[in-house]
Structure formats: C-alpha cells, structure tokens
Amino acid sequence: MYTKLLIVNIIFGASFLSLSYAQSVTSISDRDLETFSEDLLKKDNSGLSSHVTYDKQGKTNAASAIDRAAKPLLNVDKKALQHPTVAALLALFDNYDPDVKNAEVVTNAEKTEESKFLDAIMGTPAMNFTYNYAKQKGLFNEDRQAFKEWLAKTWFTLYSRGFRTKSSSAFEHVFLGELKQNQVSGLHNWLFFNEQEKKNNLNYMGWMRFEDFGKGSLLKLHYTWKNVDKPVGTLFVGTSPELELSLYSICYLARAGEKCNFKLNGKPLFIQSYTFTGPKSQKLIGSIYPGV
Ligand SMILES: *[C@@H]1O[C@H](CO)[C@@H](O)[C@H](O)[C@H]1NC(C)=O
C-alpha cells in the first residue's frame, strides 16, 4: 500500500511538472521568436564578425567526394580570440574527448572553466537581454544566479549516447563536435572549426549556402573532421558565443524538441532541438543545431 501511494505521488509529481512546462511553451508565438532574435542581434555588440575573413572557394554538394576547396575556410584575427567570452570558450575546448565511447572526466579546474565561461556570458548585454526576456515571457521564473545554474545544468551535464559511458553533453555536441560510428555529429561553432582547421584535423571541402546577417553568417558546408565525412554541416561564423548560446537556450525553453523560426537582420534561419531525458529525469538537450 505504501509503495502504491509512493508511485502515485511520483507519477502525479511528474505529470504536474510536465503540465506547467507545457503551459509556458504555448505563450511564445512564432512572431515573438522572430522579434526576440532581431532584438538580440541588436544587443550583441561583440564586434567579432569584423575579425573573420572567409575563403569560401568552390561550391559543392553533400554527395560530392571532390574537394572544391584546397585552402582553409576561415582566417580569424587574434583580436577575436582575445574577446572575453571567446577566450573563456576556447579554454573549454581541450576538456573533451570527441569519441562517444570514451567517458569524459571533469576535473575541478574544468568545472571552474565552465563557471568562468558562464560568468563571462552572463555579463554580456546579449545574455542579460536574454535572461530579462525569458523572465518576462515566463520561460524562466527565477533569479539571474538560478539562470546561470540552469545554463550550467542544461549545457554541461554529462550523459551517454548509447555506449553506457558519460561521454557527451549538449555543450560538447554543439560547440565542439562528436564522433559516433564513423559519423560527425554536432560541430556548429566557428571558433572550434577554426581551431581544428589550424590543427589540420579538419578539411573544408566547399560550401552549399551562405547567409550573411551582418554580424555574422550561417554556412551550410561539406568537410571532413578527423578523416570522417560530414556531408552537410551548418556553422555559425563570426557570431559571439553569447548570441549562439542565447538562441539555442531560448529555443529550447520555448519549443523543446521542436523547431524555432528566427530572423537575424531579416534573414530567416531555424534552430531545431531534440530533447533527452537524463537518468534522474533531468530535461536535457540531446541535440540542437541551426539551419536554413
Ligand atoms: C541587465 O538588465 C537589467 C534589467 O533590465 C539592467 O538594469 C542592467 O543594467 C543590465 N545589465 C547589463 C550589464 O546590461
């Protein structure tokens, strides 16, 4: 009897939670999301896109095995790498093993780097605007400190991708990349892409689409990473880490498991998320990526 009651309570508790979650989701219209992204872009004063030049070279497609680009895609000025949120992001890149079969080991020093990254992000006008927006729209109801903690949980919680080892996180997936069964997954951030090009780990093979929104762009492209083919990848270029984290996080809060249609400087793009339920029923991001 005691056990039965307990089960009922757990089920009730869980369904109550998901109900309140669903209610907040419906309060954001597609129009709201478009307005949000345009306003966010206006708040983003990082100036990073002026420190990047592209060498797009040949156009290609997903099926082509021919390398249409002999040279690297990106040339990033040192100034970009010294930008506070970028420097804090770069510090995280050596914390991960891309193979989803290998467990991640998170040291205290790495925890500190994660926290410093989020502090730097939280201090930007773009993320401040994002927090204020989430609060005002009822997407997030607690204070700024709690929002930072929510970001930490959502982006850095480790989980398994089917190999019974805590090898993955939303952050690693999106801001770095992962290798699973001879496929590249994630890898949507230009600063990681640039670093991998510099290390000769990544071979850019040509582009398919290029949408420039003034303070950055979204590219659809073909490349290999660690000799594994990525027939179609999407990459934000010249964007600030806070802008990217904001678009992903707001989309996940507003439309978990669905698509958000955004606009940046009049250019339409979308963010698609897939949810993942962690071992302790944590609501996490399985995958999230930009597209056009
Ligand atoms: C963050 O937003 C609050 C509330 O609008 C505002 O008072 C504060 O000045 C903002 N801080 C920054 C760093 O933009």
Side-chain angles (χ1 to χ4, degrees):
M1 190 59 196
Y2 173 72
T3 315
K4 263 190 189 159
L5 270 176
L6 196 66
I7 288 167
V8 166
N9 265 325
I10 289 165
I11 291 169
F12 177 75
S15 61
F16 176 74
L17 274 177
S18 59
L19 194 71
S20 61
Y21 189 72
Q23 276 171 350
S24 64
V25 165
T26 55
S27 65
I28 303 280
S29 69
D30 289 353
R31 189 66 194 272
D32 286 338
L33 289 177
E34 278 188 13
T35 308
F36 166 76
S37 51
E38 290 288 20
D39 290 346
L40 175 70
L41 191 68
K42 287 186 196 118
K43 295 278 175 207
D44 187 20
N45 57 8
S46 66
L48 287 168
S49 60
S50 64
H51 303 311
V52 195
T53 52
Y54 307 81
D55 191 356
K56 295 208 299 290
Q57 303 160 82
K59 222 173 167 182
T60 190
N61 57 56
S64 174
I66 300 165
D67 191 346
R68 308 274 180 201
K71 289 174 283 172
L73 170 67
L74 298 178
N75 190 354
V76 180
D77 191 284
K78 275 203 185 71
K79 282 194 194 106
L81 309 182
Q82 287 155 4
H83 184 81
T85 55
V86 172
L89 175 70
L90 298 179
L92 301 174
F93 286 169
D94 64 3
N95 294 359
Y96 294 92
D97 180 330
D99 188 333
V100 296
K101 288 191 179 130
N102 299 341
E104 300 296 347
V105 179
V106 185
T107 64
N108 285 335
E110 289 175 358
K111 280 263 158 237
T112 304
E113 287 173 353
E114 291 172 3
S115 184
K116 279 187 178 166
F117 170 67
L118 291 176
D119 283 336
I121 293 281
M122 287 298 291
T124 62
M127 194 51 91
N128 197 40
F129 169 73
T130 301
Y131 167 76
N132 291 336
Y133 183 85
K135 185 96 193 268
Q136 180 211 326
K137 290 288 183 184
L139 292 174
F140 192 85
N141 298 315
E142 295 167 68
D143 65 12
R144 280 185 161 70
Q145 182 57 30
F147 191 64
K148 183 197 158 188
E149 282 157 21
W150 177 81
L151 288 172
K153 271 198 202 112
T154 304
W155 287 93
F156 292 114
T157 297
L158 295 177
Y159 56 85
S160 156
R161 279 194 197 275
F163 294 92
R164 281 180 284 157
T165 170
K166 288 187 173 179
S167 63
S168 189
S169 67
F171 177 82
E172 184 190 12
H173 186 80
V174 178
F175 287 89
L176 288 85
E178 296 184 290
L179 296 168
K180 183 180 171 183
Q181 286 160 338
N182 217 31
Q183 286 188 339
V184 176
S185 58
L187 216 161
H188 303 288
N189 177 270
W190 61 289
L191 293 154
F192 184 72
F193 189 98
N194 176 58
E195 189 202 73
Q196 293 300 300
E197 280 198 315
K198 290 271 177 304
K199 289 185 169 169
N200 285 322
N201 285 338
L202 194 147
N203 178 31
Y204 169 63
M205 292 171 67
W207 63 286
M208 287 158 238
R209 276 189 70 174
F210 176 67
E211 299 295 337
D212 191 346
F213 44 83
K215 293 176 177 174
S217 70
L218 188 64
L219 264 159
K220 216 175 221 189
L221 72 179
H222 190 157
Y223 58 88
T224 61
W225 182 41
K226 294 180 183 272
N227 295 319
V228 179
D229 191 34
K230 177 79 171 175
V232 188
T234 51
L235 193 67
F236 272 124
V237 180
T239 38
S240 65
E242 52 271 27
L243 180 104
E244 290 176 37
L245 199 67
S246 167
L247 288 176
Y248 295 134
S249 298
I250 287 293
C251 180
Y252 176 69
L253 283 171
R255 301 264 193 282
E258 294 171 42
K259 203 182 243 191
C260 299
N261 292 306
F262 287 126
K263 258 188 190 163
L264 294 173
N265 206 1
K267 298 272 170 79
L269 75 152
F270 68 82
I271 303 284
Q272 169 77 52
S273 74
Y274 292 91
T275 57
F276 180 85
T277 305
K280 292 172 195 148
S281 305
Q282 305 119 304
K283 289 182 186 302
L284 301 172
I285 299 173
S287 171
I288 193 159
Y289 59 85
V292 276

